[in-house]
Amino acid sequence: MSPLSIVLLGAVAGLTIFLGLPLGRLRAETPRLRTGLNALAIGILLFLLWDVLSKAWEPVDQALSAGDLGASLGQGLLLAITFGLGLVGLVYVDGRSWRGPSADEVAATPQGARRLALTIAVGIGLHNFAEGLAIGTAAAQGQLAFAILLIIGFGLHNATEGFGIVAPMAGTRPSWGYLALLGLIGGGPTFVGTVVGQVFANSLVSIAFLGLAAGSILYVVIELLAVARRANLRALVAWCVFAGIAAGFITDGIVTAAGA
């Protein structure tokens, strides 16, 4: 399979994020429906947070197992710094301080919901760039079967991530143009990462982007949890969070079983 074919398949894996974006146009006029969609997104993002951190920690764990204390310390420090930048940095990038409006007050407006969706797309985009690096690196090393398996797996995950992006905007009916922009921000980096990974492979770059992604995803989860608390529908939130996490593990399990 040619490098161009791998790049095109990487682009397809990224573009599957568009499958979940039309749900952003859904009319969610009842508080229970809006709360349920918000909680489902929290579950998906919590799974994604676990997935990102486990991948970022893997090289650190390998260095520790090999007795390379210097490499493990350096990689661990890089992960900690980028994770902190992704988490704390977004507070300032989002144009607010700790004294600013609360998350539920911001997300209650259509403009605030769009900003929150954009923040989610940025976090997922950072994660997908690292996934693209993995695809490109596997292809460059001649592991074509593994690269194709990664493309299939990441494509399945991206389909659920699209819904995670638009869930905060349920009931606001954003324009198709804005949904397309969110899709490019969230899914486009998979294509870019695939291109970069075929010509440049570096575990430190992957750790850095995964750390940034994990921090930004955790920031968004905190924001969405504040919105969920305001609804005062604990049982519904718990079930929908569970469903979102389960969806993440089910798609991950399907890919793992297919590659066994």
Side-chain angles (χ1 to χ4, degrees):
M1 184 174 291
S2 67
L4 179 60
S5 298
I6 292 294
V7 169
L8 291 177
L9 288 175
V12 171
L15 292 177
T16 57
I17 203 169
F18 282 88
L19 295 177
L21 294 180
L23 291 173
R25 300 276 299 175
L26 182 68
R27 294 185 181 275
E29 299 176 355
T30 66
R32 290 184 65 86
L33 181 56
R34 288 196 299 269
T35 301
L37 293 174
N38 179 77
L40 191 62
I42 292 173
I44 293 171
L45 292 173
L46 283 174
F47 167 80
L48 193 58
L49 177 62
W50 169 83
D51 189 47
V52 170
L53 285 176
S54 62
K55 289 176 182 175
W57 184 254
E58 186 175 340
V60 182
D61 193 46
Q62 291 175 348
L64 286 171
S65 299
D68 193 344
L69 185 59
S72 62
L73 286 175
Q75 293 171 342
L77 182 61
L78 176 63
L79 175 58
I81 291 173
T82 53
F83 180 81
L85 286 174
L87 176 59
V88 181
L90 273 179
V91 175
Y92 301 99
V93 171
D94 204 30
R96 286 175 284 152
S97 66
W98 294 113
R99 298 179 182 178
S102 63
D104 51 354
E105 291 172 338
V106 172
T109 65
Q111 182 180 6
R114 287 194 295 269
R115 287 175 59 189
L116 186 54
L118 179 61
T119 304
I120 297 174
V122 170
I124 289 178
L126 290 170
H127 165 243
N128 284 339
F129 179 80
E131 290 188 340
L133 286 177
I135 294 172
T137 301
Q141 294 174 348
Q143 303 175 10
L144 295 181
F146 181 56
I148 293 174
L149 181 62
L150 289 176
I151 290 170
I152 295 172
F154 295 156
L156 285 172
H157 281 311
N158 281 347
T160 59
E161 289 167 3
F163 173 75
I165 291 174
V166 300
M169 298 188 296
T172 64
R173 296 185 62 79
S175 68
W176 289 108
Y178 192 69
L179 291 177
L181 174 63
L182 294 176
L184 289 175
I185 294 173
T190 306
F191 165 76
V192 177
T194 302
V195 175
V196 174
Q198 290 199 81
V199 297
F200 176 76
N202 188 302
S203 62
L204 293 179
V205 175
S206 179
I207 291 172
F209 274 94
L210 288 172
L212 287 170
S216 58
I217 290 170
L218 179 56
Y219 171 82
V220 170
V221 168
I222 294 171
E223 297 283 86
L224 292 177
L225 283 172
V227 177
R229 282 196 300 270
R230 184 175 182 235
N232 197 27
L233 295 168
R234 294 183 180 181
L236 177 65
V237 168
W239 276 109
C240 290
V241 168
F242 170 75
I245 294 175
F249 277 104
I250 288 171
T251 56
D252 189 66
I254 290 173
V255 175
T256 302

